[in-house]
Each structure stands twice: as structure tokens, then as C-alpha cells.
Amino acid sequence: MAFAWKAAGLTYNRYVSVASRVVRRSLKEDKRIAAERRGESDLRFAKWENGKQGENKSLNTANEAAVADAAGHQSS
Amino acid sequence: MSSLRIARAALQVRPAAIARPLQRRGYADVASDKIKLSLALPHQAIYKSQDVVQVNMPAETGEMGVLANHVPSIEQLKPGLVEVIEESGGSKQFFLSGGFAVVQPGSQLSINAVEGFPLEDFSAEAVRNQIAEAQKIAGGSGSEQDIAEAKIELEVLESLQAALK
């Protein structure tokens, strides 16, 4: 099956998280506030090289960059 | 005389022993017309192996209804309305954000999704506002990923809007 999001370089995980995010945002006010907390994630990582800690990076932004990068390779 | 009594006792025992296998239930009796549904989200189990009559769901391959003794299969679900017809005859509708349905042998159905809510929890106004917003992004000049994500949102929102009507 050919999905449009797959052609754009998105993974199934990304697809389903976008779909879930929009479902949460469509809820009535009281339920939405409780539900939207589930969509948040914040994780930082650093690469250690030669015994030194590298730059602290956010996993979410690193993932987005990786997706954009993968899509660039696919289309070219 | 005593040997006769033993013989009679043996005669009395036997009918009970024969009667037992007759009471045993066969496969035909056990097979019910209900399907055991488990509808699970990461944070909540809406149904936990509960007997229901039928489940209608939007698979990527098309709308499907699952009854008892369905052929085992795995289906990817589109974001859409799942209808559960319960034993009492009433039906419940949930909007799921997309996931997988696994029909297992022995009339068991497991549905996994990330988000799922009853229809009355949604706000038609929020859906309308988001459609306008997503259309703007989908038709704009953002990156390929932004446009793809806006199109996913549109797909979900349009399905939700159709379900709310």
C-alpha cells in the first residue's frame, strides 16, 4: 500500500502520533486539557566522545531533523 | 448372599458412571455467538475481554464488521468510528485515532489504538477550526513534511466531522 505520508518520509509512528494529536485537540475543553498532557514528551541526549560529553540535544528536534534528512535522500 | 449384594452394589454404581459422560458439553454447545473484545489504549482499557455481538471498524482495506468465529486476520485501522454492538443490543461508538485490529482464533478481537473517545466527547467547533487551519498549511509552501502532516490532520478531521453529523 502506498501512503502519501510514507512518500514524504514520515514513519508510521509519526503518522499515528500526528493523528492522535489532532484527535486530542478536537475534544471538548475539559477532556482536552487532561488528554493533551499525554502527547507531551521531552527527552534530551548527548553523545560522549573520547570521554567528553557532547552537546545536549532534544530527541524530538533530532528526530524531526532525521525525518527531513531521510526524505531528502529519498526524493533525490 | 454377600456376593449378591456386591453384584447389586456394582450395578448401582454403573449407571452413575455412564451418566457422567452424557452430561459433558461438546464443542457445539460451548461455541457461542459472541466475540470477546479487548479495546486498549496505552493509558486505558475500554473493553477487557468482554463479550459483544459485533464490531464494525474502518480498516485500511475497507469497512469491516466482525462477528464471532471470524477468520483470523490483522488489519490496520484508519482514523475513524468503531461501533461496538453489545450483548444487550445497544451499540457504542468510539472515534479511534488509528491503530491495529487483530482477529484471533477462538472469537477474540483485540483493537489497539493511541487515542479513542466516545463521540460525545468531541467538539464540532474545535474540529471546524482545525480543518481551516490544516487546509491553510496543506495548501501553503511549507516543507514536504509539514504538508504531509497537515494532510494527515485533514484526513482525521474530515473523518471526525463526518462522524459527528
Side-chain angles (χ1 to χ4, degrees):
Chain A
M1 259 184 285
F3 292 106
W5 48 266
K6 196 131 207 183
L10 266 63
T11 58
Y12 179 76
N13 255 345
R14 183 77 196 141
Y15 163 75
V16 93
S17 70
V18 168
S20 306
R21 188 182 64 197
V22 81
V23 166
R24 281 186 215 110
R25 284 182 185 162
S26 306
L27 291 166
K28 283 180 185 158
E29 198 67 14
D30 51 333
K31 300 248 177 192
R32 184 175 61 83
I33 290 160
E36 275 196 332
R37 223 169 285 152
R38 285 198 291 268
E40 289 164 13
S41 70
D42 190 18
L43 188 71
R44 278 167 203 284
F45 71 98
K47 196 173 177 180
W48 288 70
E49 252 170 326
N50 301 322
K52 279 195 193 115
Q53 187 181 355
E55 190 195 344
N56 246 330
K57 287 181 199 159
S58 151
L59 186 69
N60 288 346
T61 39
N63 269 342
E64 272 163 35
V67 166
D69 196 39
H73 284 299
Q74 219 168 49
S75 56
S76 59
Chain B
M1 195 62 186
S2 69
S3 70
L4 197 78
R5 195 172 291 164
I6 290 166
R8 195 186 288 159
L11 265 177
Q12 281 169 341
V13 167
R14 205 174 291 158
I18 296 168
R20 203 167 294 146
L22 287 175
Q23 284 170 345
R24 200 172 59 194
R25 296 169 79 193
Y27 266 105
D29 300 317
V30 172
S32 82
D33 53 349
K34 302 289 188 293
I35 183 159
K36 279 198 186 306
L37 171 68
S38 300
L39 175 51
L41 313 175
H43 51 94
Q44 182 197 3
I46 301 177
Y47 285 89
K48 251 188 194 168
S49 199
Q50 192 176 319
D51 277 338
V52 299
V53 176
Q54 187 183 343
V55 182
N56 296 328
M57 54 197 178
E60 282 287 355
T61 52
E63 283 281 333
M64 65 187 283
V66 176
L67 290 157
N69 300 313
H70 192 279
V71 151
S73 58
I74 302 176
E75 297 286 342
Q76 185 185 332
L77 299 181
K78 284 194 272 196
L81 208 57
V82 169
E83 189 181 20
V84 181
I85 297 156
E86 296 186 332
E87 276 183 299
S88 53
S91 82
K92 281 194 180 149
Q93 293 183 315
F94 299 92
F95 190 92
L96 303 190
S97 70
F100 278 85
V102 184
V103 186
Q104 288 163 312
S107 290
Q108 281 193 44
L109 172 62
S110 310
I111 303 177
N112 302 302
V114 179
E115 289 291 352
F117 293 93
L119 263 189
E120 59 266 23
D121 286 356
F122 290 100
S123 146
E125 197 195 335
V127 172
R128 233 175 298 125
N129 294 342
Q130 285 188 94
I131 285 182
E133 208 173 298
Q135 272 170 341
K136 221 180 286 168
I137 299 169
S141 55
S143 73
E144 200 183 348
Q145 286 78 45
D146 289 341
I147 292 172
E149 285 186 12
K151 281 181 179 162
I152 296 169
E153 292 185 354
L154 269 181
E155 180 200 347
V156 178
L157 290 166
E158 277 162 7
S159 169
L160 190 50
Q161 196 175 44
L164 283 173
K165 267 174 193 161

